[in-house]
Amino acid sequence: MRLVKAVIRPEKLYEVMRALEKEGFKGITVMDVVGRGKEGGVQVGEKTYDELAKTLIMVAVEDEHSQKVVEIITKHANTGMFGDGKVFVCQLEEVWTIRTKKRELEVV
């Protein structure tokens, strides 16, 4: 299993979520975060913004679906400008369901 994490522009969240849900990826975790990329923030006139509002989404999927999730996110989160975000794909060692206290072999 893999965990796909994406840091995206907040205004793209619902477009990305709708696209993921349409393709059957309904289990999504969303968090509001702040950060900056290698550019070190954004300068607007004389004002510099070091920390920018972003949204972090996480989707746990079977290995064979991770590339599809990345494609959906990169397509729907893209504006073509600096600050569109990043996608990280991580290997998941284990997944546990809190309610049942059982280790799951697949993401449902």
Side-chain angles (χ1 to χ4, degrees), residues 10 17 23 28 33 38 40 62 69 74 84 86-87 108:
M17 284 182 65
E23 293 294 326
I28 303 168
V33 296
K38 62 185 174 186
E62 298 298 327
V69 169
T74 55
D84 277 351
K86 297 282 186 199
V87 179
V108 182

Side-chain angles (χ1 to χ4, degrees), residues 11 14 18 28 80 88 93:
E11 64 269 20
Y14 292 106
R18 280 193 303 272
I28 303 168
F88 305 91
E93 297 294 323

Side-chain angles (χ1 to χ4, degrees), residues 62-77:
E62 298 298 327
D63 289 350
E64 63 268 18
H65 298 299
S66 63
Q67 188 60 40
K68 179 68 174 173
V69 169
V70 170
E71 290 170 6
I72 292 168
I73 293 169
T74 55
K75 177 181 179 183
H76 292 277

Side-chain angles (χ1 to χ4, degrees), residues 7-12 35-44 49 52-54 77-86:
V7 179
I8 64 172
R9 294 174 179 268
E11 64 269 20
K12 294 301 235 170
R36 63 180 181 200
K38 62 185 174 186
E39 295 83 21
V42 173
Q43 185 164 353
V44 179
Y49 299 93
L52 304 173
K54 297 291 180 183
N78 183 31
T79 68
M81 298 173 17
F82 286 112
D84 277 351
K86 297 282 186 199

